[in-house]
Amino acid sequence: MSTKKGKKGSQLGRLQQLGPKELWQVPLLLPKGWDDLRFPIEHFGCLAPGGTEPVVVVGLIAFEPDVRFGKVPKTIVTLWDADRNPVKVSFFGDTRSLNLTKGRRIAVSGIPTEWSGQIYLNNPSIVEEAWLGRMRPIYPGKPKSIKAETVRGKMLELLPKAIPEATAKLKESIQAYKPVGELMAKLGYEGVELEKVIRAAHVPKTAEAGEKAQRILESIAAFHRVSDAARYSPPKRTKTLPVSSRDAEAFAKRLPFTLDTGQMAAIEDMVSRLAGQTPMRHMISGDVGSGKTAVFACVAAVVAKAGGRVAIMAPMGVLARQTLEKINQWWPEISSELVTGDTPGTAEVSSRIKSAAIIAGSTALLHREVGDLDLVIVDEQQRFSRAQREGLCRQGDEHLIEATATCIPRSMALVKFGQWSFSRLNGAHVKKNIITDIVRLGASKEPIQKTIMKKIQSTLDAGREVLIIYPLREASEPDTRTRSVDEAARKFEKLYPGMVATISGGMKEEEKNAAIEQIQTRQKRILVGTSVIEVGVDIPGLQRVVVVNPERMGLAALHQIRGRVARAGGQGYMDLYVPDPIAPHSAQRLKALVDTQDGFRLTEMDMELRGVGDISQESSRQSGSDETLLFGRVVTYDAIKSVEELI
């Protein structure tokens, strides 16, 4: 369905900043809820304070408003019902446009509370009389751009004309895959008219009816996206690779460790796909220590032996270097080159890059001429945008492998619906047990600070290393509650002179390499950094990681950080240090991390929480809103499951 800006786009005005560009798209910007104004209260004697739900009262303004000036002006209004029972309302800011004059009848929504024996309405808002007895939609606004109330006014102005157009467009789009009536019946809504569904999604008779209508539209959006993705046919390769499973076995036998059955099965599966004309799109999912690097390196070696060329892209140059060093140790006969931001741009170096069988590097690869490639491998896919992950597939027919412990939701959806092949690695070359603990705010901050410091000290006393992660990099970043990496490093250096190294995304490549080497060689014992360390850097002696303000980070990033611990096996610890109160949903996410060490399960939970993203082939959106159908609304995992059998 086209999203080009048509002639009718001028009718939309600032509404276009929320997504819709044409009139028919307006109804696809759904309200995020409704104000229930069906039962206005005109007799105040029945009002009871202490509730959490807003009510609507209708009364006369008893006196001239009491206006009080200060930093924020406040206007206090007393309303009377027919028996002169009072309710007081306080409006903040400039209220001149509200026309609050004595004797005027107005309707106000708010939450009843009591103060000094008087009933007040908290968080009040004026209700237009036309909405009394109805459900009023609540639309999203955009700060400094368009207010939610303005959005509502514009939406209600345009909906009568837009809904018929949206109905026709949706029907046309759905018909390409399945008759609309059949789809509605399969979803359990046989005989329900699509136009009525769209109307009810905006102005329903009840909240339940509105929620039901929106669920139907979400299922339709999911059906359209999944159907579109499932029918995608990639271009054919003009050449095939003479790869062999025997070569894969031979390369695997030269590793300094033995691959398990699952790892070998993954290698053989990918090698068999490399022999075909269809470009492979393959996901390797496995927790830290499950052997992802060995698996994709074996596949890369097979391609190199067959005369093909491979690029391996990692989030950091230090990780790319680490991967290439392993490949050189395992199979020294394979020509290779490292490409990072520090790699010289001389003609000689460029020639070596274009001729090497395997090149590995950071995103610097995207800005170099690397020659024709047969296979692109992206390590730690969650650290890249889709444009970056596919940026080296310049011909369009390259094979692509992405590896991660925590798939992004969009990739999980593509795997689920057959667009990508998939290998899940369950084994690990070492046995380890990591205890994850949430250290939360108690009666005062001092006890939990002492708890954390005791944990750090006990790890150092045991002769092991500690990693401390802060979400901000510089002191200049706006959030005074969160200590920056630089400040934290100075603090720990005072406590442990000569024992502290620092790493962050703003450092040069050689500075990062030097910091990690100091920890790896145990010249330093404490590494203070940002989440840049989350990807597969080996620190063999690391036994404990402390994450400050973990609620500011995603599940995937936290799980990756946990994977740095106890790389050599044994007992490890992760402390989630929460010095401030956090929202219930944030606490739920952190508890999920405590409850499971399975990155695959955490990815599923992430998909349930964040949505699966736009899985269309043209999209670069990794998770969240699918803005080709419903603007600002996620395609939920539940919606995907509801249409799975209909594809």
Side-chain angles (χ1 to χ4, degrees):
M1 296 192 299
S2 170
T3 56
K4 292 181 180 179
K5 184 177 178 181
K7 293 180 180 179
K8 297 180 181 180
S10 59
Q11 301 178 59
L12 275 59
R14 286 181 293 165
L15 204 62
Q16 295 178 79
Q17 297 182 37
L18 297 175
K21 297 294 184 287
E22 298 182 38
L23 183 63
W24 70 267
Q25 295 175 321
V26 167
L28 304 182
L29 176 63
L30 299 178
K32 59 183 182 179
W34 300 270
D35 293 319
D36 189 346
L37 310 177
R38 292 175 298 163
F39 308 107
I41 297 171
E42 298 193 37
H43 299 282
F44 303 163
C46 64
L47 285 174
T52 58
E53 294 298 320
V55 300
V56 180
V57 303
V58 181
L60 295 177
I61 299 178
F63 314 106
E64 289 299 332
D66 178 7
V67 181
R68 302 178 184 182
F69 295 98
K71 287 185 178 180
V72 179
K74 179 169 73 170
T75 302
I76 303 174
V77 173
T78 301
L79 298 182
W80 276 346
D81 65 8
D83 298 320
R84 295 197 173 188
N85 292 312
V87 166
K88 290 201 171 185
V89 185
S90 295
F91 295 99
F92 293 90
D94 188 346
T95 60
R96 286 175 292 182
S97 63
L98 299 181
N99 191 25
L100 301 174
T101 57
K102 179 182 177 181
R104 183 189 169 206
R105 176 184 167 90
I106 63 171
V108 182
S109 172
I111 299 174
T113 186
E114 186 174 9
W115 180 258
S116 298
Q118 291 279 321
I119 297 292
Y120 276 81
L121 290 187
N122 276 346
N123 302 317
S125 64
I126 297 290
V127 176
E128 303 92 331
E129 194 159 345
W131 282 109
L132 293 178
R134 303 170 63 195
M135 302 292 295
R136 183 177 65 178
I138 305 170
Y139 292 97
K142 190 172 183 180
K144 299 181 180 179
S145 178
I146 183 169
K147 293 181 179 180
E149 293 79 5
T150 306
V151 173
R152 179 166 56 225
K154 193 66 178 175
M155 289 290 294
L156 295 172
E157 172 194 331
L158 297 174
L159 280 175
K161 292 182 181 179
I163 287 177
E165 288 195 23
T167 304
K169 287 281 188 178
L170 283 179
K171 284 182 176 179
E172 178 186 345
S173 182
I174 297 166
Q175 289 287 154
Y177 305 112
K178 193 179 289 289
V180 176
E182 182 182 340
L183 175 60
M184 296 292 279
K186 292 283 188 181
L187 291 172
Y189 304 108
E190 187 171 5
V192 178
E193 295 180 19
L194 183 57
E195 185 167 335
K196 289 184 178 179
V197 170
I198 298 173
R199 291 185 191 282
H202 289 272
V203 187
K205 291 183 178 179
T206 66
E208 292 74 19
E211 289 164 0
K212 178 180 177 180
Q214 291 196 1
R215 283 196 301 271
I216 295 174
L217 293 179
E218 287 166 359
S219 293
I220 290 173
F223 171 81
H224 183 272
R225 270 291 148 246
V226 173
S227 297
D228 182 56
R231 286 159 177 76
Y232 173 74
S233 180
K236 298 296 183 183
R237 283 178 58 81
T238 55
K239 68 173 183 175
T240 58
L241 292 168
V243 294
S244 164
S245 60
R246 291 190 300 274
D247 290 335
E249 292 172 4
F251 282 120
K253 286 180 180 178
R254 293 171 61 186
L255 292 169
F257 44 83
T258 302
L259 297 182
D260 63 28
T261 304
Q263 291 165 332
M264 282 306 305
I267 292 171
E268 290 170 2
D269 179 26
M270 286 182 276
V271 169
S272 69
R273 296 175 189 277
L274 289 169
Q277 285 189 308
T278 301
M280 175 177 65
R281 294 292 181 266
H282 194 91
M283 175 64 60
I284 303 174
S285 174
D287 278 324
V288 176
S290 62
K292 295 187 296 296
T293 301
V295 167
F296 70 62
C298 273
V299 177
V302 170
V303 171
K305 187 176 187 300
R309 297 189 66 243
V310 183
I312 302 172
M313 186 167 67
M316 292 195 304
V318 63
L319 179 56
R321 182 188 300 275
Q322 182 176 287
T323 299
L324 204 57
E325 285 174 351
K326 289 179 179 178
I327 290 174
N328 291 335
Q329 291 168 9
W330 296 337
W331 312 296
E333 72 276 14
I334 298 176
S335 62
S336 64
E337 283 292 327
L338 178 68
V339 181
T340 69
D342 298 329
T343 301
T346 64
E348 179 186 353
V349 172
S350 296
S351 177
R352 292 204 309 266
I353 291 171
K354 292 177 184 178
S355 62
I358 297 179
I359 56 176
S362 61
T363 51
L365 285 167
L366 299 171
H367 309 291
R368 299 293 293 261
E369 276 295 328
V370 296
D372 292 339
L373 299 170
D374 295 281
L375 171 63
V376 174
I377 299 172
V378 178
D379 195 11
E380 308 294 352
Q381 65 136 210
Q382 76 284 352
R383 291 301 298 267
F384 301 98
S385 68
R386 184 184 176 193
Q388 289 175 319
R389 298 197 309 275
E390 297 185 1
L392 290 173
C393 298
R394 292 168 183 167
Q395 302 301 316
D397 66 348
E398 295 89 345
H399 297 290
L400 176 63
I401 297 171
E402 296 183 6
T404 183
T406 47
C407 301
I408 60 175
R410 178 181 181 275
S411 295
M412 285 282 287
L414 289 172
V415 166
K416 188 175 182 63
F417 294 102
Q419 291 302 292
W420 282 56
S421 50
F422 178 68
S423 298
R424 184 178 180 186
L425 307 181
N426 293 311
H429 65 278
V430 296
K431 290 185 178 181
K432 62 179 179 178
N433 179 49
I434 302 175
I435 297 173
T436 305
D437 184 28
I438 302 175
V439 184
R440 297 192 67 171
L441 183 67
S444 67
K445 291 190 177 183
E446 187 63 23
I448 59 171
Q449 289 175 340
K450 284 186 175 180
T451 298
I452 287 292
M453 294 309 296
K454 284 180 180 178
K455 287 174 179 256
I456 292 172
Q457 186 63 57
S458 67
T459 304
L460 297 173
D461 290 344
R464 305 294 292 274
E465 280 70 63
V466 177
L467 170 63
I468 304 169
I469 298 290
Y470 284 82
L472 297 185
R473 181 173 61 84
E474 297 175 353
S476 60
E477 296 188 62
D479 189 341
T480 56
R481 296 176 305 161
T482 307
R483 187 182 297 277
S484 72
V485 168
D486 295 336
E487 289 174 323
R490 287 192 291 270
K491 168 191 170 184
F492 280 101
E493 181 63 31
K494 287 181 180 180
L495 294 171
Y496 301 100
M499 296 175 62
V500 180
T502 307
I503 185 169
S504 68
M507 295 170 63
K508 294 181 179 178
E509 205 67 46
E510 62 266 24
E511 293 173 327
K512 295 177 189 175
N513 293 339
I516 290 171
E517 185 178 355
Q518 287 177 326
I519 297 294
Q520 288 173 330
T521 58
R522 310 192 73 198
Q523 299 173 51
K524 306 282 187 179
R525 303 286 306 287
I526 299 172
L527 180 60
V528 180
T530 64
S531 58
V532 70
I533 196 68
E534 79 181 57
V535 294
V537 177
D538 284 328
I539 304 175
L542 184 64
Q543 188 183 46
R544 183 179 298 278
V545 59
V546 177
V547 183
V548 181
N549 290 113
E551 74 279 2
R552 295 164 61 94
M553 302 177 66
L555 275 177
L558 290 169
H559 183 63
Q560 290 284 345
I561 290 170
R562 179 165 59 182
R564 303 305 105 220
V565 178
R567 294 279 283 180
Q571 186 70 56
Y573 304 91
M574 182 181 200
D575 298 309
L576 305 174
Y577 177 46
V578 185
D580 302 297
I582 59 175
H585 71 273
S586 295
Q588 181 185 3
R589 288 173 50 252
L590 297 184
K591 187 176 185 304
L593 202 71
V594 173
D595 292 343
T596 180
Q597 294 188 34
D598 185 340
F600 191 83
R601 173 58 191 140
L602 285 171
T603 298
E604 290 183 318
M605 295 173 68
D606 203 23
M607 187 160 63
E608 291 166 5
L609 290 168
R610 297 166 58 199
V612 301
D614 187 342
I615 56 176
S616 61
Q617 293 302 315
E618 70 275 9
S619 173
S620 61
R621 187 177 294 276
Q622 298 183 134
S623 65
S625 300
D626 174 357
E627 297 204 354
T628 56
L629 276 181
L630 301 179
F631 298 101
R633 186 63 62 96
V634 300
V635 176
T636 65
Y637 189 45
D638 286 342
I640 288 286
K641 288 191 292 185
S642 74
V643 300
E644 183 176 357
E645 62 183 32
L646 306 181
I647 308 306

